[in-house]
Amino acid sequence: MARPRLGDVLPAWMFDVEEGPDEVPGEALPLLEELEIDFNLILRTVAWMLVRPWSRGDGSTPFNEDSHEFWGPFIVVLLYGIVLLGGQFRDLPWVLVIWLCASGFVHLTLRLQRPQVVMGLSFAILGYSVIPLIPVALVLLVTRVRGLPLTLLQFFGVVWSSRCAILGFTQSLKLGAVEGAAGRRDRPLLLLFPIVLMELYFASLVSARN
């Protein structure tokens, strides 16, 4: 059985091309390319986040110093908010605000070590790092566990997500492996506090929903 193509699943207007009066015919880009939405990259990054923390790997990562993807991590955070809050869309802005604020704080911390790093890298890695919390949240919401099992599952989700984020930063920027601009080694552990704090907040929303 043949697999359905992306164009057969998504609406056709997402691939339509509009050419303005000043544009050369044939040079206009489809809407998905204009918005820089690459579903293949999103799927590869999701797979990396789910598998990489539990495997030795070869040090490869879908991120780099120039990563500025926004829509992929935005979709992930939005999906987590919908799953977590059971469709209570009035609470979704708080989930998005925490992600944006944590990304800004991590970016400022990174700038102390790597002044050339772009803010989009923090948005991308922290947004995608929420992926492991989605299956954990689904298990907690379906089973309605409380007490010690709830705490252990939340702890597992926080560790998984935090490890994803730390690996994303250390491998994309080679933190700790090269000398910094001031002649000292980078300190990736400086990123641990804001990352764990964000993941803890997201994980705690599960118990609040229960």
Side-chain angles (χ1 to χ4, degrees):
M1 182 177 179
R3 286 187 175 181
R5 294 178 303 172
L6 193 60
D8 298 331
V9 178
L10 297 176
W13 59 264
M14 299 185 73
F15 300 91
D16 288 344
V17 176
E18 294 186 5
E19 297 180 353
D22 299 329
E23 293 181 353
V24 179
E27 291 190 358
L29 296 175
L31 178 60
L32 288 177
E33 292 187 29
E34 289 282 358
L35 295 176
E36 298 184 348
I37 299 177
D38 186 346
F39 285 102
N40 292 325
L41 175 60
I42 293 174
L43 292 176
R44 289 198 306 269
T45 307
V46 169
W48 188 89
M49 285 289 179
L50 292 174
V51 176
R52 179 61 184 89
W54 312 113
S55 62
R56 297 181 64 87
D58 55 0
S60 62
T61 172
F63 308 104
N64 57 62
E65 289 189 5
D66 298 323
S67 294
H68 58 276
E69 186 186 2
F70 176 80
W71 292 109
F74 174 79
I75 292 172
V76 171
V77 176
L78 190 66
L79 178 62
Y80 178 70
I82 293 175
V83 169
L84 185 65
L85 303 172
Q88 295 187 15
F89 294 98
R90 67 177 183 273
D91 295 323
L92 273 179
W94 287 110
V95 176
L96 297 174
V97 165
I98 293 298
W99 165 53
L100 295 175
C101 291
S103 300
F105 190 86
V106 168
H107 174 69
L108 293 177
T109 305
L110 277 175
R111 293 272 296 181
L112 298 176
Q113 307 177 67
R114 300 293 181 86
Q116 75 278 10
V117 72
V118 297
M119 190 169 184
L121 179 64
S122 299
F123 284 136
I125 293 180
L126 289 186
Y128 279 117
S129 72
V130 179
I131 291 172
L133 291 177
I134 295 178
V136 172
L138 286 173
V139 171
L140 291 175
L141 292 174
V142 170
T143 59
R144 299 283 181 176
V145 296
R146 296 182 180 274
L148 183 59
L150 171 63
T151 303
L152 290 177
L153 283 172
Q154 287 177 322
F155 178 77
F156 173 73
V158 170
V159 171
W160 188 358
S161 297
S162 300
R163 180 166 171 75
C164 286
I166 289 295
L167 284 174
F169 282 113
T170 55
Q171 293 185 2
S172 62
L173 299 175
K174 302 297 187 292
L175 294 178
V178 297
E179 296 293 328
R184 296 175 298 179
R185 287 193 177 275
D186 298 314
R187 298 178 180 179
L189 289 180
L190 290 177
L191 305 176
L192 192 60
F193 175 73
I195 290 174
V196 172
L197 199 61
M198 185 194 81
E199 309 295 356
L200 274 174
Y201 175 79
F202 283 160
S204 67
L205 291 177
V206 182
S207 59
R209 177 63 181 163
N210 278 342

